[in-house]
Amino acid sequence: DAGITQSPRHKVTETGTPVTLRCHQTENHRYMYWYRQDPGHGLRLIHYSYGVKDTDKGEVSDGYSVSRSKTEDFLLTLESATSSQTSVYFCAISEQGRNQPQHFGDGTRLSIL
Amino acid sequence: AQSVSQHNHHVILSEAASLELGCNYSYGGTVNLFWYVQYPGQHLQLLLKYFSGDPLVKGIKGFEAEFIKSKFSFNLRKPSVQWSDTAEYFCAASSGNTPLVFGKGTRLSVIA
């Protein structure tokens, strides 16, 4: 399995609080992605990065921001969490391009009460 | 917008039955196609991929998929399923230099 670590694995927080999820990779891959997975919706891309400090929006980016200051780390921030952001969040990486196969982390289960 | 459709939401099969899961995409032109599997409580794993060449693609665990360009389809098949194939299956597609777009998934339940 690809060296991808997501932290935390589980988090419960309250509406209106800021939340940051971390994705750390040891593969030195250029591309990193954040998805959310919800029943009936499959995986939806939130943001992705194609290099240090280079990011772009995905399908469901509203309410989320990202940062990538090092190749190995990609942070997802919910500035003011809402209950609609309760979900399972997956980080993924790919080596050669945004249209290439991705390897996924184990996910973070986030509950916002 | 580009989209990927998986028509079967939940499929229930007996062990040893044959499997075919449908996937259609809306892209024109060159397309990269993927099938992923997610076992209960786990992350997605790549089953197989198609970029070009032979439209019949063989993947891991005995799965295969056929790319039919005229039908914009990339259906997943397995001749004989096992209980351990119980999982959710996701089709994904990408065109040009765009990120993958995933379908909503098909849950497969294999019963003894």
Side-chain angles (χ1 to χ4, degrees):
Chain A
D1 280 348
I4 307 169
T5 304
Q6 291 187 231
S7 59
R9 294 294 314 279
H10 302 272
K11 186 173 181 68
V12 180
T13 190
E14 295 183 346
T15 300
T17 59
V19 177
T20 295
L21 307 183
R22 180 179 182 240
C23 178
H24 177 81
Q25 59 142 332
T26 58
E27 306 295 323
N28 201 36
H29 284 358
R30 178 181 174 188
Y31 294 86
M32 298 185 75
Y33 311 82
W34 277 108
Y35 292 89
R36 60 178 291 174
Q37 184 179 26
D38 305 288
H41 290 278
L43 271 81
R44 292 180 291 176
L45 182 65
I46 304 171
H47 283 280
Y48 69 98
S49 170
Y50 48 96
V52 173
K53 299 192 189 306
D54 292 323
T55 65
D56 206 350
K57 295 179 179 180
E59 177 189 357
V60 290
S61 59
D62 287 349
Y64 302 94
S65 62
V66 290
S67 65
R68 191 167 179 202
S69 59
K70 298 185 289 185
T71 298
E72 57 265 36
D73 289 327
F74 192 33
L75 304 181
L76 176 71
T77 298
L78 292 65
E79 300 290 349
S80 178
T82 68
S83 58
S84 64
Q85 294 175 311
T86 292
S87 187
V88 180
Y89 291 85
F90 284 97
C91 175
I93 63 175
S94 65
E95 184 175 15
Q96 296 176 336
R98 66 201 79 185
N99 59 355
Q100 299 296 309
Q102 297 174 10
H103 303 282
F104 284 80
D106 289 333
T108 294
R109 186 173 295 276
L110 178 62
S111 297
I112 301 165
L113 308 177
Chain B
Q2 297 160 334
S3 65
V4 174
S5 300
Q6 294 183 243
H7 312 297
N8 312 106
H9 299 294
H10 188 193
V11 173
I12 302 173
L13 293 174
S14 299
E15 279 193 313
S18 63
L19 169 71
E20 181 162 2
L21 302 181
C23 173
N24 289 92
Y25 58 93
S26 65
Y27 300 65
T30 303
V31 62
N32 294 346
L33 296 160
F34 310 85
W35 275 99
Y36 283 84
V37 61
Q38 185 179 31
Y39 298 104
Q42 296 188 24
H43 61 264
L44 275 75
Q45 303 171 41
L46 182 67
L47 271 179
L48 48 81
K49 61 183 185 287
Y50 172 80
F51 288 172
S52 63
D54 189 343
L56 186 60
V57 180
K58 295 196 182 300
I60 61 172
K61 303 178 188 284
F63 287 90
E64 64 180 29
E66 184 175 12
F67 169 56
I68 302 179
K69 188 174 182 179
S70 61
K71 295 185 178 180
F72 295 87
S73 70
F74 189 58
N75 291 357
L76 181 71
R77 301 195 292 244
K78 186 172 185 180
S80 175
V81 296
Q82 303 170 325
W83 178 83
S84 58
D85 293 322
T86 294
E88 190 152 18
Y89 293 81
F90 293 92
C91 181
S94 173
S95 179
N97 197 24
T98 61
L100 274 63
V101 173
F102 285 81
K104 294 183 178 180
T106 296
R107 186 155 63 101
L108 173 65
S109 300
V110 180
I111 56 178

